[in-house]
Amino acid sequence: MAKIDQGPPDYKKMLPPIIKDNYGKWKYHEIPRPGVLKHVSDSGAELYSVRVGSPRLVSIDFLREICDLADTFCDGYLRFTSRNNVEFLLSDPAKVDPLIASLADKGLPVGGTGASISNIVHTQGWIHCHTPATDASGIVKAVMDDLFEYFGSMKLPAKLRVGLACCLNMCGAAHCSDVAIVGVHRTIPRINDEKVQKGTEIPSLVACCPTGAIRPNPKAKSVTIVEDKCMYCGNCYTMSPGMEIMDGQNDGCAILVGGKVANARSVPSFSRMVIPFLPNNPPRWPEVTDAVRSIVETWASNARQGERMNEWIERIGWEKFFTITGIPFSDKLIDDYIFSRETFRTSAAFKY
Amino acid sequence: MTERKTPQLDELEKGKWPSFVTEMKKAAAKNPASEELLGLLEKSYEEKTGHWKHGGIVGVRGYGGGVIGRYTDVPEEFPHLTEFHTIRVNQPSGWFYDTKALRSICDIWEKHGSGLTNFHGSTGDVILLGTTTEHIQPLFDDLSEAGFDLGGSGSDLRTPSCCVGPARCQNACYDTLEACLNITNEYQDELHRPMWPYKFKIKFSGCANDCTASIARSDCSVIGTWRDTIRIDQDAVKQYVAEGMDIQDRICDKCPTRALKFNPESKELTVIGEDCSRCMHCINLMPKAIQAGKEKGATILLGGKSTIVQSAFMAWVIVPFMKMESENDFEEFKDLMGRIWEWWDENGKSRERIGELIYRVGMGKFLREVGLPPVPQMVFRPRANPYVFWPQDEITK
């Protein structure tokens, strides 16, 4: 019988000696070059971290390869970041350049520090989820190829976080990212009465609809949908296999901007929709990559130093954001969901 | 193995960013399910739609969570994907590994699964992507032997995660790694055996930079802070000035509460301690010159969640300052969690997150019943309407 309830391995057994010795005694850090952090402790000890981009969806061959590198350069220690980058932890500064050369040989990019575009936090998409409106890994690859120069450099006005969620459940922190790509549906679920009867608790299915569009249908022992109340969130399909919502011709992506989680300077903010729909166009999603690049570069050439996306937009005003980016404003962007009132401008102060 | 044609996916092997397709092909060379996954994904790219069905209930003996059942809707075309379940493995605090541990996961997963992984899932777990029902128990037995346990899924305490904390960050205001491990171990039962109205996530961030995005994606967000005043090293400030930093523009003018004053003559930076809201901006820009205060702890925020059902919430303050000390076994925090979970379990509807429950019944009721004092730090501003519920014992009878 396997041991149960033993919990995760103790992190203390996984820390490199230099971290054990200087735990909680770090004094400051600097970024000597993009992708490399130098942490200095009270005792003067220096730890170098080399940050490397990863596709997140990786094979065990990849893991063994980074283990080999960690054995050669870092005495067998490494970590991953909260954006799924890999970090090699070195106590010997002489090994930093050889490690970076080895990484270059293997095509692994060094970067993701400071005023850069770090890795895109993303989800399962068509690889492994049953409710997606778009793929995750494919768009991430297409966008990161397109914006690659910003991963390994620090030439942006501030950091820029891109998040991707493949449906409106928004797994991850897409709802609080500088730029968020979110999979959206645009057609109502197709009700399969037989599947609803077999596998669904109807009251929970009715209750899961945020707009109250689902009504019981006692005659068929199933449900009906009030068509003009449904905004295609797909939560009913999460509850019941009889409410199929995926639609290859009409699913796609929305773009939201201006979210952040840190408290620095301004309070954390939600991302706001600026493009309601772009088509799924695999394998390269050119409409999405163009839209993201255009927003990023407009921000980069207009924002002041240190100004994140939301801070730039709040300073110039949303009306100016749409003018400068050339993105058309439409009725789709005016909120009609819960809490909509707090988004309305209850003031005569604005710009033309 | 027959060579499968994947022209669309092949396109994603080009370009400079590391390719997930290349990773899938490495796994496909050794594993027939991974080989079929390439075909299934190519089919999705052609049809622009997914091909996974609703999961069934699969798991390991003794647990109710940790495994996500997954079945393709085209098993006749991809027989090895008839069952392709995900296993969540609880990561070590801060995602620190030695290569021995990482290699042992690889060996076990090579034996029992597709060879594909996510390092890591958004909540923090190692994701082992794709195995069959009959492999789940033997896989767990081997993982358990190697010192790993499953993470959370379903209506349970999900796997807590934390930022790098004091292991490598000068800003850490409490020991995020130790808190994360201690609390994960304390609540193994709540994590492995779903018993609540819905999921509950805890994330530990060592300071207000919130490098785990806890405020956005955990029901309980524990954000490190301090209660006294930041410490400024004037010699280090002068050094930044000498290196050309425009302190007035980059630091003082960006301070959200205008709590910093710079004297260009003396090159001294001073703070009005009581005005500082501890946003971290000045510390981020001048790490050699400015440090957090000495009286450290955490702010506890509750209710963060994504959109479904009642719109997205960011977590809001319920305890402005709490000591987070391993010496007393994080007792105060655990005591609070116990009260919150009991109240939610008693009052929550099916699939109602804690944030939605509080939104439905009101903060007043929540605070009274969980036993927390109302304080102004809980709101940006007080209510603008006069519709107050008065407890009957507070009115004259």
Side-chain angles (χ1 to χ4, degrees):
Chain A
M1 182 71 187
K3 209 165 161 186
I4 59 170
D5 294 337
Q6 68 173 324
D10 189 341
Y11 65 93
K12 291 190 276 298
K13 294 176 183 153
M14 309 265 206
L15 299 175
I18 182 171
I19 286 186
K20 271 186 202 156
D21 294 346
N22 296 283
Y23 196 91
K25 297 175 197 155
W26 298 103
K27 196 169 175 200
Y28 68 92
H29 80 275
E30 50 198 17
I31 308 177
R33 58 185 274 191
V36 179
L37 304 169
K38 175 186 168 185
H39 284 83
V40 180
S41 83
D42 291 336
S43 70
E46 294 179 356
L47 168 71
Y48 289 82
S49 305
V50 176
R51 186 174 291 171
V52 175
S54 150
R56 188 182 85 109
L57 170 58
V58 294
S59 65
I60 51 177
D61 299 49
F62 174 93
L63 295 171
R64 284 169 176 158
E65 193 169 60
I66 60 172
C67 283
D68 289 344
L69 289 169
D71 285 340
T72 307
F73 297 100
C74 318
D75 306 313
Y77 297 98
L78 74 167
R79 72 177 290 264
F80 295 81
T81 71
S82 58
R83 302 193 75 81
N84 307 309
N85 293 307
V86 182
E87 279 179 351
F88 294 93
L89 306 164
L90 302 92
S91 44
D92 181 358
K95 288 182 176 169
V96 172
D97 286 338
L99 168 62
I100 290 173
S102 291
L103 291 164
D105 281 348
K106 295 179 192 306
L108 291 171
V110 173
T113 53
S116 67
I117 296 180
S118 189
N119 214 337
I120 300 181
V121 169
H122 64 280
T123 49
Q124 297 296 17
W126 293 331
I127 295 264
H128 209 249
C129 189
H130 64 301
T131 69
T134 190
D135 190 37
S137 304
I139 307 184
V140 165
K141 166 71 174 152
V143 171
M144 286 309 284
D145 277 344
D146 192 50
L147 297 175
F148 187 77
E149 61 185 292
Y150 297 110
F151 180 79
S153 62
M154 304 195 293
K155 57 186 179 184
L156 293 168
K159 64 173 73 170
L160 184 108
R161 297 286 181 247
V162 187
L164 181 143
C166 53
C167 83
L168 296 92
N169 281 340
M170 296 218 215
C171 297
H175 57 302
C176 293
S177 303
D178 294 285
V179 175
I181 304 163
V182 178
V184 292
H185 304 290
R186 294 188 301 160
T187 50
I188 66 163
R190 304 175 293 279
I191 303 171
N192 180 326
D193 288 337
E194 202 182 322
K195 280 190 185 169
V196 172
Q197 283 164 22
K198 264 190 198 160
T200 311
E201 200 187 74
I202 297 208
S204 306
L205 175 58
V206 170
C208 84
C209 177
T211 62
I214 300 176
R215 305 277 162 83
N217 177 2
K219 225 180 256 173
K221 295 197 170 105
S222 178
V223 294
T224 56
I225 295 180
V226 182
E227 287 194 22
D228 53 10
K229 289 185 87 173
C230 173
M231 44 50 174
Y232 337 108
C233 73
N235 196 34
C236 57
Y237 181 65
T238 303
M239 292 297 292
S240 168
M243 308 290 285
E244 279 179 41
I245 192 162
M246 279 190 286
D247 177 342
Q249 298 316 303
N250 287 294
D251 292 348
C253 302
I255 308 286
L256 291 78
V257 305
K260 90 193 238 290
V261 296
N263 290 271
R265 302 172 303 284
S266 52
V267 296
S269 64
F270 286 120
S271 324
R272 303 283 175 182
M273 185 181 282
V274 293
I275 301 178
F277 184 80
L278 294 169
N280 278 329
N281 206 349
R284 283 280 167 193
W285 279 269
E287 294 86 354
V288 175
T289 56
D290 287 354
V292 172
R293 170 171 281 270
S294 164
I295 291 168
V296 168
E297 295 196 330
T298 308
W299 162 71
S301 55
N302 286 280
R304 294 177 185 163
Q305 195 182 14
E307 203 167 53
R308 281 184 74 167
M309 182 72 76
N310 71 318
E311 295 163 331
W312 170 61
I313 298 172
E314 292 296 336
R315 176 170 61 78
I316 65 169
W318 283 97
E319 57 275 33
K320 283 280 178 200
F321 171 85
F322 285 98
T323 310
I324 297 175
T325 56
I327 296 172
F329 187 85
S330 75
D331 56 345
K332 314 281 188 309
L333 306 182
I334 303 176
D335 196 355
D336 47 17
Y337 197 53
I338 303 161
F339 306 141
S340 58
R341 207 194 59 184
E342 72 184 44
T343 67
F344 298 162
R345 191 200 300 267
T346 51
S347 154
F350 54 84
K351 295 163 191 175
Y352 290 105
Chain B
M1 232 169 274
T2 54
E3 189 67 16
R4 192 181 289 278
K5 294 240 180 332
T6 55
Q8 296 211 46
L9 293 179
D10 294 349
E11 177 61 31
L12 291 175
E13 288 201 275
K14 300 171 189 164
K16 286 185 175 166
W17 187 250
S19 171
F20 71 101
V21 175
T22 307
E23 293 304 316
M24 292 174 73
K25 286 185 176 177
K26 286 183 205 163
K30 297 181 197 166
N31 181 282
S34 293
E35 200 271 338
E36 288 190 355
L37 185 63
L38 279 167
L40 187 86
L41 189 61
E42 182 75 17
K43 185 182 174 75
S44 280
Y45 275 36
E46 284 162 10
E47 298 171 5
K48 303 180 184 182
T49 192
H51 279 292
W52 296 102
K53 286 198 294 187
H54 264 258
I57 309 288
V58 286
V60 303
R61 278 195 301 275
Y63 289 178
V67 184
I68 294 92
R70 196 63 83 213
Y71 308 83
T72 182
D73 65 355
V74 281
E76 56 297 330
E77 210 177 324
F78 302 99
H80 288 100
L81 302 178
T82 306
E83 298 168 344
F84 198 70
H85 312 313
T86 287
I87 315 292
R88 291 190 182 149
V89 180
N90 197 153
Q91 82 286 1
S93 283
W95 302 284
F96 278 97
Y97 293 91
D98 59 38
T99 52
K100 186 166 163 282
L102 213 47
R103 286 178 198 281
S104 74
I105 293 178
C106 294
D107 294 344
I108 293 166
W109 189 230
E110 184 162 42
K111 185 171 150 197
H112 292 291
S114 71
L116 284 171
T117 71
N118 290 149
F119 270 77
H120 292 82
S122 296
T123 297
D125 303 278
V126 173
I127 305 293
L128 302 178
L129 200 63
T131 189
T132 58
T133 309
E134 68 170 1
H135 268 285
I136 292 174
Q137 188 64 43
L139 164 66
F140 173 66
D141 294 345
D142 286 353
L143 283 170
S144 174
E145 186 69 25
F148 288 93
D149 201 344
L150 298 192
S153 71
S155 296
D156 62 8
L157 173 65
R158 297 298 183 84
T159 308
S161 74
C162 64
C163 69
V164 74
R168 202 197 51 195
C169 184
Q170 70 273 6
N171 296 335
C173 292
Y174 70 100
D175 191 341
T176 52
L177 294 93
E178 187 59 24
C180 185
L181 177 65
N182 182 306
I183 282 143
T184 305
N185 282 336
E186 175 81 20
Y187 298 114
Q188 284 289 293
D189 192 25
E190 286 79 358
L191 193 155
H192 291 306
R193 294 163 202 96
M195 56 181 85
W196 289 334
Y198 206 8
K199 63 182 89 170
F200 191 96
K201 301 187 179 190
I202 307 177
K203 288 195 190 296
F204 299 95
S205 282
C207 79
N209 284 327
D210 198 5
C211 291
T212 62
S214 71
I215 200 162
R217 53 181 181 171
S218 60
D219 299 270
C220 181
S221 164
V222 185
I223 297 182
T225 190
W226 59 94
R227 204 154 47 176
D228 48 349
T229 308
I230 55 168
R231 292 171 283 167
I232 303 175
D233 175 344
Q234 299 300 342
D235 290 339
V237 171
K238 291 189 179 81
Q239 190 62 38
Y240 278 106
V241 175
E243 287 164 11
M245 183 184 271
D246 183 342
I247 307 263
Q248 185 61 43
D249 178 58
R250 297 299 311 282
I251 311 293
C252 300
D253 293 351
K254 303 289 186 300
C255 171
T257 57
R258 300 293 185 269
L260 290 163
K261 299 276 174 262
F262 180 62
N263 182 332
E265 266 99 65
S266 65
K267 298 188 177 55
E268 289 211 344
L269 183 68
T270 50
V271 61
I272 307 163
E274 61 186 25
D275 282 357
C276 169
S277 62
R278 302 170 317 281
C279 84
M280 296 299 295
H281 173 72
C282 60
I283 295 179
N284 291 343
L285 262 71
M286 305 173 76
K288 292 179 187 172
I290 310 181
Q291 279 182 285
K294 285 182 174 166
E295 197 188 347
K296 290 173 178 166
T299 300
I300 315 295
L301 305 92
L302 205 64
K305 60 178 278 291
S306 185
T307 43
I308 292 294
V309 177
Q310 302 269 2
S311 200
F313 291 4
M314 271 188 270
W316 61 89
V317 175
I318 59 159
V319 180
F321 187 85
M322 182 186 278
K323 287 270 182 196
M324 290 293 288
E325 286 167 340
S326 55
E327 292 77 39
N328 71 5
D329 207 27
F330 305 99
E331 196 183 342
E332 198 180 346
F333 180 77
K334 289 175 184 170
D335 176 58
L336 177 64
M337 282 302 104
R339 273 146 50 206
I340 289 171
W341 291 335
E342 199 183 320
W343 181 79
W344 176 44
D345 212 16
E346 192 66 32
N347 294 282
K349 293 184 189 174
S350 167
R351 289 169 62 86
E352 186 172 47
R353 298 281 284 264
I354 185 77
E356 289 173 326
L357 171 58
I358 297 172
Y359 178 60
R360 177 164 63 85
V361 305
M363 270 286 273
K365 191 172 165 70
F366 165 74
L367 295 175
R368 284 192 295 276
E369 295 186 356
V370 169
L372 283 170
V375 290
Q377 285 81 359
M378 291 171 176
V379 296
F380 276 134
R381 45 194 82 85
R383 70 194 304 153
N385 62 69
Y387 303 146
V388 176
F389 290 102
W390 284 96
Q392 288 302 296
D393 58 4
E394 288 183 31
I395 60 168
T396 313
K397 291 229 166 112

